Amino acid sequence: MITRILSLWILLAWCVAPALADEARVAVAANFSSPAEMLVEQFELLQPHEIELVFGSSARFYAQVQNGAPFDAFLSADLEKPQLLAEEGLAAADSLRAYAIGRLVLWTAEPSLEIGSESLTANAGGKIALANPRLAPYGLAAREAIDNLGLDDQLADSLIMGENISQAYQFVATGNAPLGFVALSQVGRNGVIEQGSGWLVPAELHSPIRQYAVLLTEENAAASAFLEFLRGPEARRIIYSFGYTMDAAEP
């Protein structure tokens, strides 16, 4: 009798567990691609849910969600776009949470070079890559840094723009631009630049790159669980390891 009851419980658990699992499609700002992949790997070890990640520029995702793109959550590189979606009734306002503050790096793929603000003007006519400031918060931060260094006019003909921070990184990594503004998470771990050479742009040269997440489909259990996971200690450990901070990021 006991064996029969146990067998029924096992069968019931086997049938119910998949029903409790859910799948979510999450739009993620390009700068956060590596941390997001590691976070999902850890999340799926702990949860029955599955997460599909899609990477791109925050502005493109904002427009796509407005046009009905099937995303369940949005990890933006700023506050503005998820906040606008909430105001437009396209996102759950009470789910809006900061998940990271990013750092900007002036970077070259060449190793063992001394890179600093002076590198921008010592570039001998070479191109300087950055993400499009109209589409990507990291591009806006790069533009602010250039302006605050008083180099806007001097560098006007040197700048080449990618749609997002991943394209800016590719310009430099492939040699199409000797220098570029990228996210620290793309070239370093634990706050240290591990690829090429770079200069961690002082935070006072640009507005803080505060990154926010928001739920787009409230009834999706996987998306809700993933955003909740981002606030936990294991997720924060992973996020910190890519050079992000969380201090003063909460709304």
Side-chain angles (χ1 to χ4, degrees):
M1 182 67 177
I2 294 175
T3 302
R4 186 177 179 183
I5 292 172
L6 285 173
S7 298
L8 287 171
W9 272 110
I10 292 170
L11 178 62
L12 180 62
W14 184 84
C15 293
V16 170
L20 295 176
D22 209 343
E23 297 179 0
R25 196 162 184 255
V26 180
V28 181
N31 74 88
F32 203 67
S33 57
S34 294
E37 289 172 344
M38 188 174 292
L39 287 163
V40 166
E41 182 178 339
Q42 184 64 28
F43 173 78
E44 291 182 347
L45 289 175
L46 302 172
Q47 298 275 353
H49 309 300
E50 293 185 4
I51 303 294
E52 177 189 354
L53 299 173
V54 182
F55 303 114
S57 74
S58 297
R60 293 292 185 200
F61 284 136
Y62 170 67
Q64 288 171 8
V65 172
Q66 284 186 309
N67 287 305
F71 295 117
D72 301 299
F74 177 26
L75 272 60
S76 179
D78 64 1
L79 169 61
E80 179 189 20
K81 295 167 189 68
Q83 192 169 56
L84 283 172
L85 290 174
E87 292 171 359
E88 294 162 5
L90 297 173
D94 60 356
S95 71
L96 186 64
R97 294 286 186 277
Y99 66 92
I101 300 176
R103 293 302 307 271
L104 186 69
V105 172
L106 179 63
W107 182 70
T108 176
E110 295 291 330
S112 304
L113 295 182
E114 290 291 331
I115 302 296
S117 60
E118 67 281 356
S119 303
L120 290 166
T121 52
N123 198 26
K127 296 299 182 181
I128 300 167
L130 69 159
N132 190 329
R134 294 179 299 169
L135 299 176
Y138 279 79
L140 179 60
R143 193 79 209 202
E144 289 177 351
I146 290 170
D147 290 346
N148 286 324
L149 288 168
L151 299 175
D152 188 45
D153 292 337
Q154 192 170 348
L155 299 180
D157 296 329
S158 299
L159 304 179
I160 58 170
M161 298 183 189
E163 179 178 306
N164 54 50
I165 199 72
S166 291
Q167 288 188 1
Y169 170 85
Q170 286 300 323
F171 280 140
V172 184
T174 57
N176 288 301
L179 281 174
F181 288 96
V182 303
L184 175 58
S185 60
Q186 294 173 295
V187 297
R189 290 295 302 275
N190 298 308
V192 178
I193 296 170
E194 295 183 338
Q195 301 177 39
S197 307
W199 174 55
L200 190 62
V201 178
E204 59 267 21
L205 287 179
H206 59 81
S207 302
I209 309 172
R210 291 194 171 99
Q211 306 193 191
Y212 282 73
V214 72
L215 189 64
L216 303 175
T217 309
E218 290 189 80
E219 62 272 18
N220 188 290
S224 297
F226 184 62
L227 292 196
E228 186 62 30
F229 170 75
L230 289 182
R231 304 177 67 188
E234 178 59 22
R236 291 195 175 211
R237 182 190 65 77
I238 293 170
I239 291 169
Y240 291 152
S241 76
F242 282 90
Y244 295 93
T245 64
M246 298 285 282
D247 300 339
E250 289 294 339

